[in-house]
Amino acid sequence: MENITLNDIATLFGLAAGAAGLVLGILNYLRERAKVVVNLQWDMKTMNLPQYDPKKDWGVIRITNTGRRPIYVSHVAIKLPGHCEDSHLLVMEGLQGQKLEEGAPPLVFPVSQEGLNEYAKHWKKLRAQ
């Protein structure tokens, strides 16, 4: 059996510290990245909101930053299924662009369902982006 020298101990310690630093760096990167959750709900009614007609059905797009880095929402649109003539429906209120910080309240965009009857049979296939 060979004698273990101080150099061997320092080498093993350096190897363990380097591996631990790599693992912590990867975990920190995964924790710190931007994460965005976009929800789309259909057939909503309004109550006590004079700017929205309570007789109409509304869709609601909600954008939430669940990550730790700020994000910039440049536009809001509804992606239609591939067999539709158009590919996207742009939400005009979402064109101004907004920065969404960590822990900020979600951005909410109401969408009138008026004129969207042709897509009603595909509600579950429509995606907000």
Side-chain angles (χ1 to χ4, degrees), residues 27-38 63-71 100-103:
L27 291 174
N28 190 36
Y29 168 76
L30 293 174
R31 181 187 65 163
E32 296 286 330
R33 65 183 170 177
K35 296 177 195 161
V36 180
V37 175
V38 181
I63 303 170
T64 308
N65 182 5
T66 59
R68 293 198 154 194
R69 296 193 183 261
I71 60 164
L100 192 55
E101 300 282 342
E102 172 191 9

Side-chain angles (χ1 to χ4, degrees), residues 61-82:
I61 299 173
R62 183 177 295 112
I63 303 170
T64 308
N65 182 5
T66 59
R68 293 198 154 194
R69 296 193 183 261
I71 60 164
Y72 185 78
V73 179
S74 63
H75 67 282
V76 178
I78 298 173
K79 184 172 178 10
L80 301 173

